[in-house]
Amino acid sequence: MRSRPSRRGVLAAGSGLAAATALPALPALSGCSALAATDSDPHTLVIHSQLGTTAPGSPTYLAALRRFRAENPGLKVKNLVNGDDLAQVYETSRLARKEPDVVMVNLYDKTLAWTDVGATVDVTGYLDDWGLRERVLPVALTSWTDGKGRLRAFPYFATNWPIAYNTALLERAGVDGIPRTGDALIGAARKLRAKGIGPVTTGGNDWTGQKLLAQIIQTFLTEDEARHVFTTGDFSGSRGARQGIDYFVELRDAGVFVDKAQGLTSDSMTTQFNTGSAAIESAMSSALAEVPEKVARQTEVGGWPLAPGAVHDKPTILRTYTLIGFWISPNGTKKIEAVEKFVRFMYRPDTVSRFIRESGRDMALRTDTLSTGFPLVAAAQRLGGSVSQALLPDVYVPPAATQPLITATSTSFTRGTGAAKVRAALEAAYRGA
């Protein structure tokens, strides 16, 4: 049977989301107010996406919409676009019962609660009714399924998140090969600085720095231990977490990260790496796809260097299968035939392959297509067993702690902040969560 939101769940969407946050004035949405986003016409499908402007994959997505419209001439499609504020905008429209039918967004922060409060529906029944289960990688289905067995959305984008090393800059500084240990990384950073080259660049003031910090903390944590730490915020009670923070502080105060990393953003990070101002970055595959050809030719991807006694036997990377999925809203269930047409179209092998070939996107779906036009993305896909995988904390961090963790991350990247203060800042982010 297809999943339907209960009356209790729909009502909870209003009370729960309202209690979670004070909603600001609504920004404009591609010429269409979010409160006017819904369309009762069964022949009009309303899609709310982070794709459509400058986000990686947007040209391919817009081309896919044009093909979808051409193949379904009797169905109108409204495409609403937002960036990082998409979740906030969607919640506003949902409170007014004027939400779009399909939402394309990642599983992170606010969206973690959507299915639980009835703001979106469990799509398990639809996945099976439409015969699409075999199209999805099993690990992606697991990642999108909550603790009550509900599939929050149809998985779509995934990502590899390795460390990119500009080997030409390393060679110019006299660094012999990609560093695989913390001591080697510290030595490389000193040599790079001596040549006026930034070592590791990261967005210490946003999500990129937060992910790198979490990755380094896991140096001495097993997966189960890491899951506990990021769920509870107990960075002091775990010996492994304390060791990981000590390791981070050692690297930071040895000058491994670029100056003033605590104030940088993801845009600052990619600009520094792409222009050759910094030699190393932690880059998800969408960022790797944007590395200029000249820099890409002299770049190798690998893992984060380890310290002695690490629980991992190889340098670490992050991987996730929750980057973008197709969420169905309560309004979408009223136009489920149109929603089915759209999801089936986006799941078609030819559509999936175009995202890989044209945009260098990693997918949460089964496919034999490789990102040959994006050499660094393809190289990350081939890393396989040469690296170890750290846990991406996104689905374990309580939504109320997500943004405070960004502030704590900036504090952590501030040189001279002791390990005890880093732990205190991280734990403070969980208060009230």
Side-chain angles (χ1 to χ4, degrees):
M1 179 179 292
R2 293 185 176 93
S3 305
R4 305 284 185 184
S6 66
R7 173 176 171 77
R8 179 177 178 276
V10 171
L11 292 175
S15 60
L17 295 178
T21 182
L23 300 175
L26 185 68
L29 247 188
S30 295
C32 180
S33 162
L35 294 183
T38 189
D39 196 314
S40 59
D41 179 1
H43 302 296
T44 298
L45 181 67
V46 184
I47 303 168
H48 194 180
S49 176
Q50 290 179 312
L51 301 178
T53 53
T54 60
S58 292
T60 301
Y61 171 66
L62 294 175
L65 281 186
R66 289 193 292 270
R67 294 195 306 276
F68 178 71
R69 290 184 176 110
E71 293 181 15
N72 298 274
L75 179 63
K76 297 179 182 178
V77 179
K78 287 185 179 179
N79 184 42
L80 313 177
V81 182
N82 273 95
D84 291 341
D85 60 342
L86 182 147
Q88 187 73 61
V89 174
Y90 176 77
E91 290 180 3
T92 303
S93 62
R94 174 61 196 144
L95 287 171
R97 302 297 189 267
K98 295 181 179 292
E99 79 276 4
D101 305 312
V102 178
V103 189
M104 296 173 59
V105 69
N106 60 330
L107 183 60
Y108 175 63
D109 195 8
K110 292 176 180 293
T111 68
L112 289 166
W114 281 0
T115 304
D116 197 46
V117 299
T120 54
V121 303
D122 174 7
V123 304
T124 305
Y126 297 125
L127 181 78
D128 291 326
D129 286 355
W130 300 344
L132 297 177
R133 181 174 291 272
E134 293 305 312
R135 292 283 296 120
V136 188
L137 295 173
V139 66
L141 289 174
T142 299
S143 299
W144 281 92
T145 300
D146 69 12
K148 297 179 180 178
R150 298 171 297 198
L151 184 62
R152 295 172 168 108
F154 287 85
Y156 205 58
F157 283 175
T159 189
N160 283 305
W161 208 323
I163 309 300
Y165 297 90
N166 186 320
T167 56
L169 295 181
L170 292 175
E171 290 172 4
R172 187 190 307 172
V175 178
D176 184 18
I178 291 176
R180 293 179 58 86
T181 67
D183 287 343
L185 181 60
I186 291 172
R190 288 171 178 162
K191 291 181 178 180
L192 287 164
R193 286 180 174 277
K195 291 291 186 180
I197 302 169
V200 179
T201 180
T202 187
N205 197 31
D206 71 4
W207 52 275
T208 51
Q210 187 246 332
K211 299 301 184 296
L212 181 56
L213 172 60
Q215 182 177 351
I216 297 171
I217 290 174
Q218 291 181 65
T219 302
F220 301 96
L221 290 172
T222 66
E223 182 174 320
D224 286 343
E225 290 170 338
R227 189 178 294 110
H228 171 77
V229 167
F230 291 113
T231 300
T232 64
D234 183 9
F235 293 90
S236 297
S238 165
R239 180 170 179 263
R242 294 196 305 271
Q243 288 179 299
I245 291 172
D246 288 343
Y247 179 45
F248 167 80
V249 169
E250 177 187 358
L251 296 176
R252 184 203 64 200
D253 288 349
V256 161
F257 306 106
V258 295
D259 294 340
K260 300 180 180 179
Q262 71 272 19
L264 300 183
T265 64
S266 58
D267 288 342
S268 311
M269 177 190 76
T270 54
T271 296
Q272 287 190 348
F273 186 83
N274 291 351
T275 59
S277 297
I280 305 168
E281 70 169 345
S282 169
M284 61 196 306
S285 50
S286 56
L288 294 175
E290 299 295 321
V291 175
E293 182 180 357
K294 179 181 178 181
V295 178
R297 284 199 304 267
Q298 57 196 34
T299 297
E300 293 183 17
V301 295
W304 183 261
L306 299 177
V311 300
H312 300 274
D313 59 353
K314 298 168 186 173
T316 63
I317 69 167
L318 298 172
R319 289 191 180 103
T320 181
Y321 298 87
T322 57
L323 203 57
I324 276 187
F326 300 114
W327 307 66
I328 300 178
S329 74
N331 277 337
T333 64
K334 302 171 186 176
K335 299 184 237 178
I336 201 61
E337 291 183 2
V339 172
E340 178 180 358
K341 289 179 181 179
F342 175 72
V343 174
R344 283 186 178 279
F345 174 85
M346 296 300 288
Y347 262 45
R348 272 179 9 194
D350 62 313
T351 304
V352 172
S353 293
R354 292 189 68 164
F355 275 103
I356 298 170
R357 291 196 309 267
E358 297 174 8
S359 302
R361 300 304 310 229
D362 285 312
M363 308 300 292
L365 306 181
R366 299 180 191 272
T367 178
D368 294 326
T369 306
L370 296 176
S371 302
T372 53
F374 300 86
L376 295 182
V377 177
Q381 293 168 345
R382 293 192 298 266
L383 282 172
S386 67
V387 292
S388 181
Q389 184 172 333
L391 183 78
L392 186 78
D394 289 8
V395 299
Y396 303 106
V397 174
T402 299
Q403 290 307 312
L405 271 178
I406 300 300
T407 301
T409 296
S410 180
T411 299
S412 301
F413 273 96
T414 302
R415 293 183 69 172
T417 304
K421 289 187 177 180
V422 171
R423 290 196 301 272
L426 294 172
E427 289 174 342
Y430 282 74
R431 290 179 191 147

